[in-house]
Amino acid sequence: VAGEVAALRLLAQRAEAAARKAGLAREEARPYRPHLTLARGSGETELRPYADALASFAGTSWTVDELTLVRSELPRSGVPGERPRYETVGRWPLGGGARLRDAGG
């Protein structure tokens, strides 16, 4: 991620502070690093060659205009092929503005 990284870090810090205030603990102790997740591996597939191949990639720039909070429910059943479930919890326009209503209200 490039561009206004300082603003992105500030947004992450504020989101983390709001979560703490709401009583939510951060699961990962590592410092925030701006990124875009393209894939997740189950541990069975070696993704390093793909990450290395994309290391020098630079796409066209784009502006993020909305923050979406997504809850990830990772599989726990052990059933082969079970996928994570994602639920949009809330959406907010960036640049100042009220919360957008999500599908659940």
Side-chain angles (χ1 to χ4, degrees), residues 24 68-74 84-90:
L24 301 173
T68 304
L69 179 61
V70 177
R71 176 182 295 129
S72 301
E73 188 68 38
L74 301 177
R85 293 189 179 111
Y86 302 101
E87 174 189 354
T88 298
V89 177

Side-chain angles (χ1 to χ4, degrees), residues 56-101:
S56 64
F57 176 77
T60 58
S61 69
W62 48 279
T63 300
V64 177
D65 59 3
E66 177 181 277
L67 172 68
T68 304
L69 179 61
V70 177
R71 176 182 295 129
S72 301
E73 188 68 38
L74 301 177
R76 293 184 219 167
S77 69
V79 174
E82 184 179 8
R83 301 273 188 211
R85 293 189 179 111
Y86 302 101
E87 174 189 354
T88 298
V89 177
R91 297 170 41 220
W92 294 265
L94 295 177
R99 178 176 181 225
L100 299 172
R101 294 181 60 86

Side-chain angles (χ1 to χ4, degrees), residues 10-68:
L10 179 60
L11 177 61
Q13 290 168 353
R14 288 181 176 173
E16 185 176 348
R20 276 195 314 271
K21 187 174 181 180
L24 301 173
R26 186 172 178 191
E27 294 177 6
E28 299 176 350
R30 63 183 179 195
Y32 176 74
R33 180 176 170 213
H35 69 283
L36 175 64
T37 301
L38 298 177
R40 287 190 192 273
S42 64
E44 299 171 12
T45 303
E46 176 55 45
L47 297 176
R48 176 56 49 200
Y50 301 102
D52 291 344
L54 290 169
S56 64
F57 176 77
T60 58
S61 69
W62 48 279
T63 300
V64 177
D65 59 3
E66 177 181 277
L67 172 68
T68 304

